[in-house]
Amino acid sequence: MDTEWINVTPENLFQEHLCCIIRSRTPHPGVEAKRQWLRARLQEGHVFRKHRERAAIFIEYAPLESAWVPVTGENYFYLYCLWVASDYKGNGYGRTLMESCLADARAQGKSGICMLGAQKQKAWLSDQSFAKTFGFQIVDTTAQGYELLALSLDGTVPAFAPNAKEGRITAQELTIYYSPQCPYVQQSLQKVQDYCAQNRIPVSLLPVDTLEKAKALPCVFNNYAVFYQGTFETVNLLDIAALQRLLRK
């Protein structure tokens, strides 16, 4: 990689901007939680590659075996997120980042790269139409409209774990599974918690804080998953408007 790009490492983790558009002059709890989560993940082969600018231009991926998602397969990379802020689009940054991930996969003899998609593009998932221009194809689906996309280098394909296709839990109250991987998660949870407390709405916020929990989830997951009335609803982070729409169901 040239000097335009930086790989986050254990040595620079606490100095580098983590590329999300949170612009806090003081330590932000979501960003600091992300740093702590990354601290352990970097030792497992997790990659966070970013532009030198303090902007949301980055890619994040990990070996599928240690990726916190209910996806099964061998020798794949799981692409959590590829993001280029709108102000920086048109410079080829997204292509450069995807090509760097593909180069890593080939250099390490990986079988391919996979990522979470959906029949209808979700706001908090990477652009699947862009991924398809590289050859990503749908290799598995769920009844809830989510898709597993893969770019295979050897003909093998990963799959959703059977539990990821369940889409049901016994609890009827609003239930959110989450990990600290995304810096926005904490502020979304706080808004949900405050709204539910003010309106006396039962809510359960369940941390996914181990690989084992992530692999066993009863739904697809990238770092956040919402259930209501026992049914899986979305991987999108909830704001108040989205929460109100959900509760009206």
Side-chain angles (χ1 to χ4, degrees), residues 37 41 44 46 61-71 76-80 114 181 210-212 214-215:
W37 186 86
R41 306 286 78 75
E44 301 166 351
H46 188 107
Y61 56 92
L64 180 56
E65 292 84 352
S66 58
W68 286 28
V69 291
V71 176
Y76 261 73
F77 278 146
Y78 179 81
L79 174 56
Y80 286 106
C114 61
Q181 181 181 3
T210 67
L211 175 64
E212 291 72 24
K215 293 293 188 188

Side-chain angles (χ1 to χ4, degrees), residues 42-194:
L42 290 172
Q43 300 174 26
E44 301 166 351
H46 188 107
V47 173
F48 190 105
R49 183 170 296 134
K50 50 164 282 188
H51 196 272
R52 65 187 178 194
E53 296 290 332
R54 290 176 61 86
I57 310 170
F58 69 97
I59 191 168
E60 189 169 3
Y61 56 92
L64 180 56
E65 292 84 352
S66 58
W68 286 28
V69 291
V71 176
T72 63
E74 294 183 0
N75 203 37
Y76 261 73
F77 278 146
Y78 179 81
L79 174 56
Y80 286 106
C81 191
L82 190 165
W83 204 263
V84 178
S86 56
D87 289 347
Y88 294 87
K89 289 185 177 180
N91 293 297
Y93 293 147
R95 179 162 295 276
T96 296
L97 287 167
M98 184 68 88
E99 287 175 349
S100 75
C101 178
L102 184 54
D104 272 0
R106 286 177 170 144
Q108 296 184 38
K110 293 294 184 183
S111 295
I113 306 165
C114 61
M115 61 180 278
L116 182 61
Q119 291 176 0
K120 182 179 179 181
Q121 177 70 46
K122 303 295 183 182
W124 291 91
L125 293 179
S126 300
D127 185 346
Q128 59 209 44
S129 62
F130 174 72
K132 287 176 181 177
T133 67
F134 286 84
F136 280 79
Q137 297 180 337
I138 299 167
V139 296
D140 203 359
T141 62
T142 75
Q144 297 79 33
Y146 287 85
E147 300 170 341
L148 183 65
L149 282 69
L151 172 56
S152 179
L153 298 176
D154 66 3
T156 64
V157 293
F160 287 122
N163 46 280
K165 295 187 176 186
E166 293 173 7
R168 298 286 303 176
I169 58 175
T170 57
Q172 296 297 296
E173 71 267 24
L174 177 66
T175 301
I176 301 176
Y177 294 92
Y178 68 94
S179 81
Q181 181 181 3
C182 174
Y184 287 95
V185 163
Q186 287 203 4
Q187 61 193 52
S188 174
L189 293 177
Q190 190 62 58
K191 289 177 182 178
V192 169
Q193 196 168 33
D194 290 347

Side-chain angles (χ1 to χ4, degrees), residues 193-210:
Q193 196 168 33
D194 290 347
Y195 182 89
C196 289
Q198 292 164 9
N199 294 277
R200 298 182 179 180
I201 298 167
V203 59
S204 294
L205 306 178
L206 304 178
V208 178
D209 50 16
T210 67

